[in-house]
């Protein structure tokens, strides 16, 4: 079915949640999905809930949090369970924040730089959130 490459860069809950929904659907349809999480989005994947709470939440995001079943972390986890889905944390942002892979969600398969991800994502479709 092909490859889908996502770059999740925004610290906005709505965009991260949308990326998780796209990942879930694509994974369930048999697409391989590689996701690079960088910039303002990386704190949303920290193990510490207080760090995750720093991401922006607009009015629709607040409704989704209140009424939807499962947050973006659960959606990414379900996508990984049902399909060929891989998440990569940005090594530059992790270095700047002095975080290791152990500080981040266990969803991540590895840490890499943007050059490594772009080399990996040279085939298939690409979306940025």
């Amino acid at each position: 079915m092909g490859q889908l490459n996502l770059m999740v860069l925004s610290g906005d809950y709505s965009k991260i949640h949308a990326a998780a929904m796209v990942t879930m659907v694509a994974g369930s349809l048999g697409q391989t999905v590689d996701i690079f999480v960088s910039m303002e989005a990386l704190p949303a994947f920290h193990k510490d809930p207080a760090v995750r709470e720093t991401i922006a939440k607009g009015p629709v995001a607040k409704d989704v949090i209140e009424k939807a079943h499962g947050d973006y972390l659960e959606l990414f986890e379900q996508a990984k369970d049902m399909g060929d889905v891989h998440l990569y944390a940005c090594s530059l942002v992790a270095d700047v924040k002095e975080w290791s892979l152990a500080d981040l969600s266990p969803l991540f398969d590895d840490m890499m730089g943007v050059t490594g991800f772009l080399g990996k994502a040279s085939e298939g479709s690409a979306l940025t959130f």
Side-chain angles (χ1 to χ4, degrees):
M1 175 138 209
Q3 168 104 11
L4 178 61
N5 304 290
L6 306 180
M7 293 184 73
V8 182
L9 308 175
S10 172
D12 182 282
Y13 187 99
S14 296
K15 290 181 181 182
I16 297 166
H17 196 90
M21 290 189 303
V22 167
T23 299
M24 182 117 122
V25 171
S28 72
L29 293 173
Q31 278 189 287
T32 297
V33 184
D34 285 334
I35 304 152
F36 183 66
V37 180
S38 186
M39 303 312 283
E40 304 302 327
L42 196 57
F45 292 83
H46 199 279
K47 281 184 180 175
D48 183 346
V51 176
R52 287 196 310 270
E53 279 298 310
T54 64
I55 65 172
K57 296 172 194 81
V60 173
K62 289 176 183 174
D63 288 343
V64 168
I65 291 166
E66 182 181 317
K67 297 176 184 172
H69 301 291
D71 68 8
Y72 59 89
L73 292 173
E74 292 168 325
L75 292 175
F76 280 120
E77 184 176 351
Q78 291 170 7
K80 286 187 69 126
D81 288 344
M82 72 170 74
D84 188 14
V85 174
H86 309 277
L87 278 86
Y88 302 99
C90 177
S91 57
L92 172 68
V93 175
D95 286 348
V96 167
K97 298 295 261 177
E98 298 181 354
W99 294 340
S100 71
L101 211 47
D103 295 310
L104 301 172
S105 167
L107 291 169
F108 287 108
D109 294 284
D110 204 353
M111 211 177 266
M112 67 174 56
V114 70
T115 304
F117 183 75
L118 290 177
K120 184 175 200 29
S122 62
E123 295 183 20
S125 302
L127 298 171
T128 302
F129 290 87

